[in-house]
Amino acid sequence: MIEVYLFLIAVAVILSMYRFFRGPTTADRIVAVDIMTTLTTGLMVLFALYYRRAIFLDVALVYAVLAFVGVIAFARYMEGGL
Amino acid sequence: MNPYYFASIALILIGLYAILAKRNVLKMLVGLSIMETGVNLLLISVGYVSGRSAPILSEGITPDRAVDPIPQALVLTAIVIGVATTAMALSVVINLYEKYKTLNVEEIRRLRG
Amino acid sequence: MNELALIVFAPLIAGALAWLIDIKGIREIIGVLGAAVPLGYAALLYQKVNGGLSFAINLGVFKLTFALNALNWFFLGIGALVGFAAILALVSTGRDSYEWLFALMSLSGVLGVFLANDLMTFFIFWEIMTFASFMMVLHYNKAASLKYFLLSVFGAYAMLIALGMIYAKLGTFDFAQIQQAMYKEAYAVAFKADTVFSKGESILIYLLFLIAFGVKAGMFPLHVWAPDAYSETNQSYAAMFSGVLSKTGVYGFIMLYLLMGTRLAIELGGFRSTTKFGYIIAFLGGLTIIVGGLLAALQEDIRKLFAYSSISQLGYILVGIGVGTALSMQAALFHALSHALFKGLFFLIVATIVYRTGKTTFADMGGLAEKMPFTFAMAFVAILSLAGIPPLVGFASKWVLFEAVISQNLPVLGGMVFFGSAIGFVYLIRFTYAVWFGQRPTDLDNVKDAPLSMAVAMAILALFNVILGIAPGLVARELNKIFGKEVIGGNLYVLDLGFGKYNALAILIYLIAGIVIAGIIYFMGAKARRVPVTDTYQSANPVTMDYNLTIRRNFFLPLKETLAFWLRISFDKLYHDIGAWIEDLAEVLRNYIYNGSVQSYAWYLAIILLILALWGV
Amino acid sequence: MVKRIFAIVFILIIGFWMAKALDQVPFGQDRMLVGKYYLEHVKEETGAVNAVTAVVVNYRGFDTLGEVTVLFIASTGVAALLWRKKRKRTAKTEGSVVLTTGARLLLPFIMLFGVYIFIHGHLTPGGGFPGGATIATAFLFLYLAFTVYEVDHKIFEPLEGLAGVGYVTVGLIGLAIGGYFLFDWIWQTWGIGKENIGRLLSAGFIPIIYTLIGIKVGTELTGIVDNMIKEPEEGGQ
Amino acid sequence: MGETSKISRYLYTVLILFIIWLFLTGSLDPQEVTIGAIFALIVGALTDEVFTERGLGNLNPKRVLYFTAYIPYFLWAMIMANLDVAYRVLHPKRPINPGIVECRTVLTNNVGKLALANSITLTPGTITLDVKGDRYFIHWIDVKDKSVEGASENITKPFEKFLKVIFE
Amino acid sequence: MSQYASLLIALPLFGAFFIPILKRISKSAVMPFLVLVTLIQTGIAAWVFNEVYITGKPIIIMAGGFRPPIGINLYIGHFAALFVLVIAVTSLLMTIFSFKAVSVEPKDKYAMLFLLLMLGATGMISTGDIFNLFVFMEITAISAYALIAYNKTGEASEAALKYIVLGGIGSSFFLVGVALIYGSLGTLNMAHIAQLAHLVNPTVAKAGLALLIFGLAVEAEQFPLNAWAPDAYQEAPHPVTAMFSAFVVKASLYAMGRVIYILSAVEGWSSILRLLIILGTLTVIIGEMSALRQNNVKRMFAYSSIAQVGLIAVGLALGTESGVSASVFHMFNHAIVKALMFLAVGYVAVELGGTEINKFEGLGKRMPVTAFAITVGAISIIGIPLFNIFWSKMQLILAALNAQYTWMVALILGASLVEATYYIRLIHTIWFKGEGEKVKESSVLALVMLLLVALIIVIGIYPEPFWNVMQKAGSDIFNVAQYIKNVPLMGVSP
Amino acid sequence: MSIASIIGQALVLFGTFFYVLSSLGLIRMPDVYNRMQTATKSATLGSLGVIIGVGIWAIGEVGSYSWIPKTLIVAVFLLLTNPIAAHALIRAAYKSGVPLWEGSIVDRYKEAESSLERVEEIKEKLEEPSRGVEINE
Ligand code: NA
Ligand code: NA
């Protein structure tokens, strides 16, 4: 059953990728990235369950932290705040 | 061709293409990073053993159910080295831009001959 | 200490001492002593020539080995004698301790080359000699020294390759062992057995040695450094430079014959009555005679004249070596001796003239016979000897050489040698008249004759010119000793080649008359110089120097014009052009390759990857 | 255009070549040799559960020391290259109160995450480098939110050095006690934590080294960010 | 709030960090707890000044109570918001009526403002675009009232009653 | 006791990490500290050298006490022992030079990078693990990037950028090579790889070896992968340039040699050698030609250095023990000479403000000791007997002939002829052109230069003991069977 | 199948739905502001569902309660950071000049910004009369 959820989330990631490539503005792309990272975090957590390894949750956590700060960096760069 | 190998070779080649074809120095450096990523993926792929899990021997994972830990250790190192290279490259480019006021690789050629 | 070591190192040590002490007077004494030691020992060792005298210094990687035999004693004698004379003359003309150091160092180098018993020692002393002589030229003229240096390096490297090839195959530098191995090789070639050196390799070694020795001997077309280097240095030193240093090249060719002559002869086959490889040397020697002779005739500077003359004379020796018969070899050795004697003498004469007048061009000279009678007398001997007029040593050697070439039925070479003699007369006449006779420029009125040291030096060489001219049998005896058989027969005064005879004593008697005639010429010349140059009138106008077409100035203008086309083909210029062209090419290439764009450089990497890929796929 | 076509042709050929070679290294096969040894002996020899960590810190300690060095070089190099007499941040707009407050609230949490990651390196997929990077992220967040924020170089640089010196010293203690540089004297000589495998206080000096690396990486990455984000003031060349 | 003692702030920070540590490790192993306490003390010392202004004052029972009550309220709002999103996204006509409006808040505390902004962002049809003093600029997907008062009534008011207690 | 040789790695690291702390205490103590560290390093290196050459056995440092191939080992054999010493001594001399030559701030960072450059090269020549080699290579390269750009001029940044891009490509493909070899054998230890080399799939081996050599050749400045080098040499601070030429490139060359010979059992090996010979030959030719009409003397020396590097590579690729030994000898001699020459040319730049050829007019009168040093160095490089390089060129020639590469002799001598042309031209400019005021030369630097000159001449006159050492060092690289035997591999087998 | 598994799985299903919804919103909405409106909210809620769902599911599936605290941490982290990120992004989008969708009916922010600028201008003029001229240019 988990495979189905994994698949669906993967589909969602791919759909967001459409916005990433399509744009049209930089802001659109970064929003797409932001959403993709959120989805990916969920995907990773789900993978942890799939492999039955709690240690992968740490990976998801670090990923969430780095992705969040990364998005903030993009945002601040875009508004000229750096 | 295995998709992981394919992806890593593709990344390496895309990176190489960027270095060969892009005029902007920053894009060339991005190419370099992409290349490094490809290499890292390749290393990891080489160490993968089908049907096995991360080489962390907890939660019921025994040695015969774990993948090769060496490439993962290597990649850790390689990533850090890549980061370091990128950091150096960027600060070099900052200085370069300050002096030359350009990032066009064709204009960064005062040293020649 | 071993005599050989003393011979080789005495000049070097003396030079170093002279340089260190650097007190005028003392350094000259030390220097002359240093040059006297080899001469003295060379004389002493005459008895021990075949006594197997040898000496070795262990330098770690290589051993320096020396040994004495009849052949190198002969060259040792030439070197020590002319070297001593040149050093003696240096007492007057030497400018500073620098010159003492390097002149003596080069003498050490020469003697080391002659006495070396293995290729490595040979090479090392060859380089010491080259370096020292380079420093001597550098002291006077940088451009000349640069040209000399580059060609020397070229030659040295050629030798080095040959050395390396031999060592790599045979594992030894020892002459005797190499000779033995090469004999075996020759047999192997003859019997179509496996050889250590392939045909190509032996030819390569031959060509490399040809270049190496050819440069030093001033062989056409590698001669371009010589005229400048011989003329642009201390003229006393030039006596040794031209008289002795060039002989190391000759010695080298002889060594080449000894080491691998048989091998090359069998491998390459013959040409007419000689060997192919020998004929190449001889032919190049012949060209050297002609080119050197012609250019000598066209010079306006006495130093240059003798420099070219020297080149021309070396050509004779090469012809002799190249023809390759025992007789022609002996002739070559003989002429090597005579050339050292008379050309050494000539350069000392030039040194004296330059030293006393401070001038070097014909245009500035004339009528010196009266002011410098002793020097003129010496010049007289030298001129006769070079021109090949009996009974001086120059005649004896040239005569043997003529006979040797002609007897081998080699018409082209014969023609070249003959032409060389003719052109020799031409430039000698010029020297004789332009310097010694004719009108003397007024500023030379107070010129003094040679200083003592130079006079002694000249006298020594002149004496040998005369003695060995009258008694050529002395030399013939030594040469026969080298070859271990009687090639040139006769007695002390008579040379008997079997198909021709030369009696020096008889000729001497005929020539008493000749000397009388010379005396008359001298007095005539002395008379003629009473009128100052500017007192000549033409159409009632004083003749300016520009129009004064005398023997002293552009005397051979018609000849020059005839040869205009050929003179334009200057090898000197050719090398220069090639050099410039290479440099231009290099610059273009460099700017093209290192074009500054990092992207291009990345492409280079990609290209290499592509090559690897194509090679791997 | 020609350049691009050439580039594509080139990389295709090169790619084909690499693919052909990789074809002989079939994916997913167990080809472990040394790796197998590690998996089988990692617990008894190093006390670590995470074999990668054991490889990184123990078996291939030289690599890791080198890796630390590389990052140190980068941080030093960036500081050297961007060094000017006077440098200042030139950011124009500060983040809104949402961002600034968010940064203040999250700072301790993210730091604690970092600590958690490096201290558990021998148990979970983590270690000094990701831990340090997470800590640096906390500081990066401050840089992103506040226009005036900058780290105290007086503390950061010596701390960075101190952590490095500490690492080398730990290695040298191994040399003194166990006879080998980077010898895990805590595990192999003292045998501390042998009964604890799989719990926090085990795996010999791995937690110590990872703590040092975490501090070092955190300070270094922060330093790199700090250097990159500042620009020279007028006349401050 | 400057009068809040340093110790209070420190202890509060350490406490929160320690709790988070427990959650992170998900274990009550004494080793984990000990090390967690140590690092909570260290990290707390480094960060307490930026982390909190009020220190232990935050643990006032009333505030905790309101905070606890706020959670289900907020979650509910969030689910509603998402259903609203689902309606707008999945509706073939894409029914939207967007614009940027301005609201005022009575909150003065920064953390309160953050909580308000986040709440707004996660609830129906609104995202906080910027906060300037007490003025919130909000992108509203379906603008119902352009006036400041009207918008405030719609957007900020519902949360303020909780947040005011929790953070003021 | 021999494990204390690991101080060769630990000390520079400790020193570099300690500098930020030291800087807080006293900023002016940083440069003297640098001298101190390199001095101690020299002492350790001397001890190691002595130990290895007296016992005749390599020192195997086992990090963490794990036996290879389980742990990474450092292999300080005859080659490494020798070059560790060369590196330490050169670094020591260059620290002294740095006092004079480095004026740009921040000097504490310079000192750190300096130590780490030294460390990187030391690691490269002593490691016994192919991935660890990559790590040390990157340590060397990245500190080199920083040092090249250290002067913060546009040109310096440009030079560094070029090196970064090319070095980055090189190291990426090197890693691909590592991945291939590892994927095929499952081990990274060099001795273990050598032991198992015959088991590698030929296709993989060919590509892997090619990629490894490709990556290393970028660092080892083989044409046309060396395009970064002239710029980098020109723009780096002078002591750093000297270090590049003296040992950084040598470390890469060594690595290339080591990798080649440990994989000598794989298929396609000889064609890689042939390729390397071609590259090396081109390196020599292009290097010499580029130096020929070069107006910037430092750049001229750089090209000259590249050409020598080409010769060394050719020697390594001959595939014979004598070739490798000759190469090592040439590395050693060239290290001494180029350290001297870059020191001298750098000193000229410091005193006279540039390295364009016109600055050298009248140098013989202005800075006689420096001029003398340059002259001796030039004469040595040309290959005049009684100077050190003569002997190594000689050995290279002999080796080439032994290996049936007769034409290579012409290459070496032709190169020497070109060298003679441009160096004599330089000497001419120095001694016979122009005039100028006399500059007071630093007595310490004069001493350093004369020391190196003396070394050049001592080797030139008495090469035997040095040649003996070089033969041992060369054999260390060439003799793989012995290498495998020397490394105490534990029984991990497929 | 245990109760925990059922609840967990239901939550995951719930989350997955909103995940897909957020990606659809990202595609369908007309401008970046509206995309953010829809995508952020559902992605956050989706995360809560999926991640906490996994925590609960694991009780049944793996038999371990230790998943719960960790998943909670991840979920809370996302709950806290996603709106901050969205806020930073929308502000950045606006400030970098991404226009509102043409169907937008009001822009208070623009009005406020321009009036704010005017205020600042006047303030500076008053403080530094000499520099006021420059500003006018
Ligand atoms: Na996110
Ligand atoms: Na988010």
Side-chain angles (χ1 to χ4, degrees), chain F residues 35-120:
Chain F
V35 177
L36 181 72
V37 173
T38 47
L39 191 66
I40 300 173
Q41 178 86 351
T42 307
I44 300 170
W47 169 71
V48 167
F49 179 82
N50 193 41
E51 195 83 345
V52 169
Y53 275 83
I54 279 183
T55 61
K57 283 196 195 119
I59 295 178
I60 312 289
I61 297 170
M62 290 181 269
F66 298 103
R67 280 178 66 186
I70 297 308
I72 294 178
N73 70 295
L74 297 188
Y75 179 96
I76 305 188
H78 286 92
F79 180 88
L82 172 66
F83 263 79
V84 159
L85 190 58
V86 170
I87 291 171
V89 171
T90 313
S91 304
L92 177 61
L93 298 182
M94 291 311 143
T95 52
I96 297 168
F97 183 33
S98 297
F99 278 97
K100 195 102 199 163
V102 178
S103 52
V104 177
E105 285 294 333
K107 283 190 202 163
D108 57 310
K109 304 278 188 291
Y110 171 83
M112 291 185 241
L113 294 168
F114 184 99
L115 280 177
L116 295 171
L117 184 69
M118 175 177 94
L119 167 87

Side-chain angles (χ1 to χ4, degrees), chain E residues 20 23-24 26 75 78 82 85-86 88-92 94 96-102 118 121-123 125-130 132 135 137 139-141 143 146-147, chain G residues 18 21 24-25 28-30 33-34 36-38 41-42 44-45 48 66 69-70 72-73 79-80 83-84 87 90-91 94 100-101 104-109 112-113 116:
Chain E
I20 290 177
F23 271 81
L24 268 177
L75 280 178
M78 209 169 135
N82 276 284
V85 167
R88 292 183 203 281
V89 170
L90 299 176
H91 194 287
R94 210 174 55 189
I96 56 173
N97 183 30
I100 297 172
V101 296
E102 185 185 336
N118 279 3
T121 301
L122 290 176
T123 48
T126 49
I127 292 190
T128 314
L129 195 147
D130 203 357
K132 286 190 171 164
R135 305 163 77 189
F137 295 95
H139 186 268
W140 200 355
I141 202 165
V143 179
K146 291 185 201 171
S147 72
Chain G
F18 284 103
L21 191 69
L24 286 178
R28 271 182 60 85
M29 286 297 136
Y33 305 100
N34 291 302
M36 244 177 267
Q37 283 275 13
T38 55
K41 288 188 222 326
S42 20
T44 311
L45 188 66
L48 286 185
S66 66
K70 221 173 247 180
L72 269 177
I73 284 280
L79 183 65
L80 199 60
I84 297 178
H87 159 73
I90 196 168
R91 184 173 122 126
Y94 193 92
L100 289 178
W101 178 50
S104 304
I105 57 165
V106 60
D107 189 352
R108 290 271 178 200
Y109 194 56
E113 282 284 85
L116 215 73

Side-chain angles (χ1 to χ4, degrees), chain C residues 375-585:
Chain C
T375 311
F376 174 63
M378 295 295 113
F380 190 66
V381 173
I383 290 164
L384 293 183
S385 191
L386 193 154
I389 291 172
L392 290 165
V393 71
F395 176 79
S397 60
K398 245 184 217 176
W399 178 76
V400 179
L401 191 68
F402 266 122
E403 295 290 332
V405 172
I406 290 165
S407 69
Q408 288 304 307
N409 188 21
L410 297 164
V412 176
L413 290 182
M416 285 168 154
V417 171
F418 185 76
F419 180 82
S421 293
I423 197 86
F425 275 110
V426 169
Y427 59 73
L428 281 176
I429 288 169
R430 180 129 192 257
F431 172 70
T432 312
Y433 281 91
V435 175
W436 302 108
F437 306 135
Q439 289 153 351
R440 186 174 60 236
T442 42
D443 57 342
L444 296 182
D445 281 345
N446 297 320
V447 169
K448 289 198 201 88
D449 207 340
L452 182 64
S453 72
M454 303 186 80
V456 174
M458 286 190 285
I460 292 171
L461 293 181
L463 202 62
F464 274 91
N465 268 295
V466 175
I467 290 174
L468 297 181
I470 295 171
L474 278 175
V475 182
R477 200 169 67 201
E478 288 312 309
L479 295 174
N480 286 336
K481 222 187 265 174
I482 294 170
F483 282 72
K485 63 179 177 184
E486 187 170 277
V487 179
I488 304 177
N491 56 33
L492 199 56
Y493 308 108
V494 179
L495 298 180
D496 184 357
L497 307 180
F499 48 84
K501 233 183 214 177
Y502 159 57
N503 191 328
L505 199 60
I507 300 272
L508 177 66
I509 294 159
Y510 295 137
L511 267 165
I512 303 259
I515 292 168
V516 171
I517 295 166
I520 293 165
I521 293 170
Y522 165 66
F523 287 114
M524 275 169 56
K527 235 176 231 164
R529 91 199 118 60
R530 299 247 181 252
V531 190
V533 174
T534 43
D535 288 355
T536 343
Y537 285 82
Q538 189 181 37
S539 310
N541 289 316
V543 175
T544 64
M545 288 306 273
D546 289 346
Y547 287 98
N548 193 359
L549 189 74
T550 67
I551 195 162
R552 279 184 266 131
R553 173 176 288 271
N554 287 331
F555 183 68
F556 292 108
L557 196 61
L559 179 65
K560 211 179 214 168
E561 281 163 0
T562 319
L563 294 174
F565 174 75
W566 295 101
L567 286 174
R568 264 206 303 277
I569 308 174
S570 148
F571 274 82
D572 195 3
K573 192 168 172 302
L574 179 68
Y575 296 145
H576 190 269
D577 286 350
I578 290 175
W581 182 80
I582 289 176
E583 286 206 23
D584 287 343
L585 176 77

Side-chain angles (χ1 to χ4, degrees), chain C residues 347-396:
Chain C
F347 271 105
L348 291 184
I349 291 161
V350 171
T352 310
I353 295 171
V354 174
Y355 178 65
R356 283 308 192 197
T357 65
K359 304 202 183 328
T360 59
T361 55
F362 289 118
D364 297 333
M365 289 182 206
L368 286 174
E370 191 202 28
K371 289 285 167 190
M372 307 173 78
F374 178 78
T375 311
F376 174 63
M378 295 295 113
F380 190 66
V381 173
I383 290 164
L384 293 183
S385 191
L386 193 154
I389 291 172
L392 290 165
V393 71
F395 176 79

Side-chain angles (χ1 to χ4, degrees), chain A residues 34 38, chain G residues 82 85:
Chain A
D34 180 33
T38 307
Chain G
N82 268 355

